[in-house]
């Protein structure tokens, strides 16, 4: 995926993140693409849903799987505003996501590069190509401003 295309889709994920923020959730957003079209959207919602698994990536993957009528989505791309956690990366591996594009790193819980490197582990049955740091500053600024307003 070329940089301009990645930035275009990250803007869609940022829109989802802003929806989360408007709902009082941590502003993280995600979209799932297949053949250049969005088939899944999601934003953080664990507080409102009272569901610890309602991360943006999980919500987007659930939507995409329903759209694809399959629990696996080979050839798909997941674009998310922050580096995924272990749970979300595990779900991507189970869904057979091909490419992960993310914005800001997560030094406290990132499972792709920051804390763990699960996307490229030889111990797992699927590897995901990773494109990190797309619109990193904008994604990080959204999170920083959210948390600064709550302190």
């Amino acid at each position: 995926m070329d940089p301009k295309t990645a930035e275009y889709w990250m803007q869609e994920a940022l829109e989802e993140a802003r929806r989360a923020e408007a709902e009082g959730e941590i502003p993280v957003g995600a979209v799932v693409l297949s053949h250049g079209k969005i088939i899944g959207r999601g934003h953080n919602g664990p507080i409102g849903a009272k569901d610890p698994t309602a991360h943006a990536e999980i919500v987007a993957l659930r939507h995409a799987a329903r759209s694809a009528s399959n629990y696996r989505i080979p050839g798909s791309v997941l674009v998310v505003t922050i580096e995924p956690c272990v749970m979300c990366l595990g779900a991507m591996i189970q869904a057979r996501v091909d490419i992960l594009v993310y914005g800001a790193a997560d030094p406290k819980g990132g499972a792709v590069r920051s804390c763990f490197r699960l996307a490229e582990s030889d111990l797992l049955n699927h590897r995901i190509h990773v494109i990190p740091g797309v619109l990193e500053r904008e994604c990080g600024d959204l999170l920083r401003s959210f948390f600064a307003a709550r302190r």
Side-chain angles (χ1 to χ4, degrees):
M1 177 177 287
D2 68 82
K4 287 290 184 198
T5 302
E7 288 179 5
Y8 174 82
W9 294 118
M10 186 60 74
Q11 289 294 344
E12 292 287 332
L14 279 162
E15 283 301 314
E16 287 294 323
R18 290 182 190 98
R19 287 185 181 104
E21 183 175 36
E23 295 171 8
E25 302 278 356
I26 296 172
V28 177
V31 293
V32 178
L33 312 169
S34 181
H35 305 291
K37 294 182 181 168
I38 294 176
I39 62 166
R41 290 180 171 277
H43 57 270
N44 264 11
I47 298 166
K50 296 173 184 58
D51 178 358
T53 69
H55 290 196
E57 301 96 321
I58 300 295
V59 174
L61 284 169
R62 287 175 179 157
H63 184 206
R66 282 191 301 273
S67 295
S69 297
N70 197 339
Y71 73 106
R72 293 213 169 129
I73 318 162
S76 63
V77 177
L78 192 143
V79 181
V80 63
T81 57
I82 191 168
E83 179 182 3
C85 70
V86 172
M87 174 184 70
C88 292
L89 190 64
M92 287 178 232
I93 290 166
Q94 294 303 314
R96 303 301 193 261
V97 168
D98 279 3
I99 300 171
L100 165 64
V101 178
Y102 72 86
D106 182 359
K108 293 183 180 179
V112 180
R113 301 262 164 93
S114 296
C115 297
F116 304 100
R117 297 182 76 86
L118 295 178
E120 58 199 38
S121 174
D122 290 334
L123 301 173
L124 300 173
N125 64 349
H126 180 71
R127 281 166 208 67
I128 299 173
H129 176 74
V130 177
I131 303 171
V134 175
L135 298 181
E136 181 173 15
R137 181 178 210 134
E138 189 172 347
C139 294
D141 285 349
L142 184 60
L143 286 162
R144 281 186 287 277
S145 66
F146 175 83
F147 286 114
R150 276 146 185 78
R151 291 189 179 122

